[in-house]
């Protein structure tokens, strides 16, 4: 399959409010338009997860980051510049995303991606992409496409046909930054 065809197919699904199953820069993820509350709810239902358990958004650059956060602590840029592996930042007071994506503490986890499929899809969407592990809540995270349960595969509207043989054992590091510049590592 061609990368550009997969981007177009995934984009068309997302535009219609659908869910995609896709490879990220870490593990396989379930995604949708981060500004569509109905699509976000579908992911919570599919994962059998409480809406109070937040999910993260993938973004492809500074411009998209500023669409969602009015203020970004300077330390965020330093962490992103120095990170040697995919790193999720949890930041305060997001806006312009579905309300049911925002954590009870008014935060949102985001990750800037360079992985070609995700990057090109985000370029086309011009909006953040929800990303959550491709498993039912409480079950182990799949390390490869082969480990994803049929329930998840059948529960999405489109399965991206790329990198199905790739194995990845690592989720991203998660670092929480507060507007008053406190830094807390939630996952290494």
């Amino acid at each position: 399959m061609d990368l550009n065809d997969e981007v177009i197919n995934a984009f068309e699904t997302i535009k219609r409010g659908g869910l995609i199953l896709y490879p990220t820069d870490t593990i396989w993820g379930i995604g949708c338009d981060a500004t569509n509350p109905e699509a976000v709810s579908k992911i919570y239902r599919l994962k059998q997860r409480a809406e109070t358990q937040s999910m993260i958004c993938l973004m492809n650059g500074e411009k998209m980051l500023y669409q969602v956060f009015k203020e970004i602590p300077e330390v965020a840029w330093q962490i992103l510049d120095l990170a040697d592996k995919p790193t999720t930042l949890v930041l305060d007071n997001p806006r312009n995303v579905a309300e049911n994506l925002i954590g009870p503490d008014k935060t949102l986890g985001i990750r800037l991606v360079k992985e070609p499929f995700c990057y090109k899809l985000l370029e086309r969407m011009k909006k953040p992409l929800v990303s959550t592990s491709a498993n039912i809540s409480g079950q182990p995270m799949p390390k490869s496409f082969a480990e994803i349960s049929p329930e998840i595969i059948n529960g999405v509207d489109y399965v991206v046909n790329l990198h199905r043989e790739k194995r990845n054992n690592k989720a991203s590091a998660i670092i929480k930054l507060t507007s008053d510049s406190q830094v807390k590592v939630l996952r290494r």
Side-chain angles (χ1 to χ4, degrees):
M1 255 306 185
D2 172 69
L3 176 69
N4 291 327
D5 290 342
E6 288 302 311
V7 168
I8 290 165
N9 293 340
F11 175 69
E12 290 303 323
T13 301
I14 287 168
K15 209 165 65 174
R16 291 190 305 270
L19 306 185
I20 63 168
L21 181 59
Y22 66 105
T24 73
D25 53 341
T26 58
I27 57 177
W28 274 78
I30 303 168
C32 70
D33 172 352
T35 66
N36 181 332
E38 294 81 25
V40 171
S41 286
K42 284 187 209 171
I43 292 180
Y44 282 118
R45 284 194 301 275
L46 176 60
K47 285 185 63 85
Q48 300 168 26
R49 181 178 187 159
E51 288 206 11
T52 51
Q53 291 183 284
S54 51
M55 297 185 285
I56 73 161
C57 290
L58 300 182
M59 300 182 184
N60 66 354
E62 197 174 315
K63 185 177 175 197
M64 197 176 282
L65 208 50
Y66 278 109
Q67 283 173 357
V68 178
F69 298 97
K70 198 170 173 178
E71 293 173 20
I72 300 165
E74 188 54 41
V75 70
W77 301 113
Q78 294 164 354
I79 290 169
L80 291 171
D81 286 344
L82 297 171
D84 56 356
K85 69 178 195 173
T87 300
T88 297
L89 296 180
V90 180
L91 302 172
D92 287 338
N93 304 315
R95 60 197 176 141
N96 302 324
V97 293
E99 280 294 317
N100 51 349
L101 256 185
I102 299 171
D105 58 351
K106 299 282 179 253
T107 61
L108 179 66
I110 61 94
R111 190 163 76 241
L112 293 181
V113 290
K114 293 178 177 73
E115 189 279 325
F117 170 77
C118 292
Y119 191 88
K120 285 180 181 258
L121 178 58
L122 286 159
E123 248 180 2
R124 189 165 275 246
M125 289 173 63
K126 296 180 180 29
K127 300 174 184 180
L129 174 67
V130 171
S131 185
T132 183
S133 56
N135 60 327
I136 302 292
S137 206
Q139 292 182 358
M141 270 190 252
K143 293 171 178 47
S144 67
F145 181 78
E147 292 179 18
I148 299 171
S149 76
E151 192 172 357
I152 294 290
I153 293 170
N154 296 329
V156 299
D157 302 294
Y158 186 72
V159 179
V160 173
N161 192 15
L162 294 169
H163 309 302
R164 292 200 178 177
E165 67 301 322
K166 193 172 106 182
R167 248 186 110 60
N168 197 329
N169 299 330
K170 277 276 191 225
S172 68
I174 301 177
I175 299 173
K176 183 173 185 169
L177 305 177
T178 58
S179 356
D180 59 356
S181 297
Q182 290 184 35
V183 177
K184 186 177 180 184
V185 177
L186 302 179
R187 181 170 69 199
R188 287 189 188 281

